[in-house]
Amino acid sequence: MGPLQCTPCLFLFCLTALALVLVGPHGRSAAQQTSFPSLKWWTSGGDEWWPRSLDLHQRVPTGRTDEQPCPQDVLAAFKALYLATDGQHWVSRGGWNTSQVACCTWQGIQCDSKGNVVGIFLPANNLTGSVPEDFISSSSRLQRTLAMIHIGRNRIKSLPENIGLLSQLSVLDVSNNSGSVNIPASLGNTSLAYLHIGNGTQHPPFEGVRLVEVPDSLADLKQLRVLDLSHNSLDGPLNPEIFNLKHLEV
């Protein structure tokens, strides 16, 4: 199917029912071309838009099994995330906020063969609050290595304005979070290929996100393949250049 054509008469429809989905039948996504684990870890358990080879309800990846200590700046970043999202009330928090410094063995942390943290996988885990800026600013290592974040089906209120410092970020899922989740303009500085901020109805009792506006900078995501903003309250203009992204199809 060819690129989406959004004529003026259909523009309102595009704003209120936007769900751009692509999983290409050939080639590899930008996320799959890097050295971090396959997208099989990031199946969104029932969400058809996501590459499906592992149901998240069957297993949550917990990273490497060795005892290699993680750098202090990474541990500081994780502590900031834990405290800001009411970590003591998470559903699963193995390793978090303990004396265990081998963070690659913690619940929801995915590392590559060198011990670099490449993914955070904490969907439906009762994270409540906002992702703090300290989570990103505390660790220059995470800024260079973190490629996947899945914190959908929680109660996340906002993303940090400095999220654009995550230069390798290719997969971001904050879908089905209650309240309004902002999309920071700096997100356009990342390497996103998959962005899911949709609000489905298949995971009650979560109310789902309510977006206010979509920043023009999403048009800078040259590797973007999947964009799902479905079932949200979008207000304001949508940058038409988003529909010209060459890897984005419906």
Side-chain angles (χ1 to χ4, degrees), residues 34 48 58 64 76 89 117 122 130-131 140 156 165-167 202 208-209 221 234 241 244:
T34 58
E48 295 299 329
Q58 297 174 358
R64 294 170 22 149
H89 292 118
V117 175
L122 295 168
S130 299
V131 178
S140 59
I156 297 298
L165 293 176
L166 300 177
S167 60
Q202 67 273 38
V209 296
L221 297 172
L234 304 181
E241 293 300 318
N244 294 328

Side-chain angles (χ1 to χ4, degrees), residues 21-200:
V21 180
L22 170 67
V23 179
H26 305 291
R28 303 173 66 193
S29 71
Q32 289 171 314
Q33 291 172 351
T34 58
S35 60
F36 54 80
S38 166
L39 284 176
K40 70 181 181 179
W41 291 110
W42 303 93
T43 306
S44 190
D47 295 335
E48 295 299 329
W49 77 278
W50 201 275
R52 298 177 56 82
S53 59
L54 178 69
D55 191 317
L56 67 85
H57 299 296
Q58 297 174 358
R59 178 181 178 187
V60 174
T62 55
R64 294 170 22 149
T65 58
D66 61 43
E67 298 299 318
Q68 176 180 339
C70 285
Q72 287 299 315
D73 63 322
V74 174
L75 295 175
F78 287 160
K79 181 178 180 179
L81 177 64
Y82 181 88
L83 293 177
T85 57
D86 195 19
Q88 64 178 333
H89 292 118
W90 289 3
V91 175
S92 300
R93 56 182 187 276
W96 293 78
N97 200 38
T98 68
S99 59
Q100 173 60 265
V101 295
C103 67
C104 291
T105 65
W106 294 5
Q107 180 73 27
I109 299 300
Q110 192 72 22
C111 295
D112 63 15
S113 60
K114 298 180 180 179
N116 298 311
V117 175
V118 295
I120 296 176
F121 190 94
L122 295 168
N125 203 42
N126 201 36
L127 276 69
T128 303
S130 299
V131 178
E133 293 200 356
D134 286 354
F135 166 62
I136 296 173
S137 62
S138 296
S139 176
S140 59
R141 289 178 177 84
L142 285 183
Q143 294 172 23
R144 298 192 302 268
T145 66
L146 189 59
M148 297 182 283
I149 300 176
H150 188 349
I151 50 175
R153 301 199 295 281
N154 285 293
R155 293 178 174 83
I156 297 298
K157 296 179 180 179
S158 65
L159 299 173
E161 293 296 330
N162 62 351
I163 195 171
L165 293 176
L166 300 177
S167 60
Q168 299 304 310
L169 187 64
S170 295
V171 177
L172 176 61
D173 188 334
V174 289
S175 61
N176 295 287
N177 274 279
S178 60
S180 296
V181 175
N182 65 316
I183 304 180
S186 68
L187 198 62
N189 298 328
T190 66
S191 303
L192 274 181
Y194 296 86
L195 175 58
H196 189 11
I197 314 185
N199 170 30

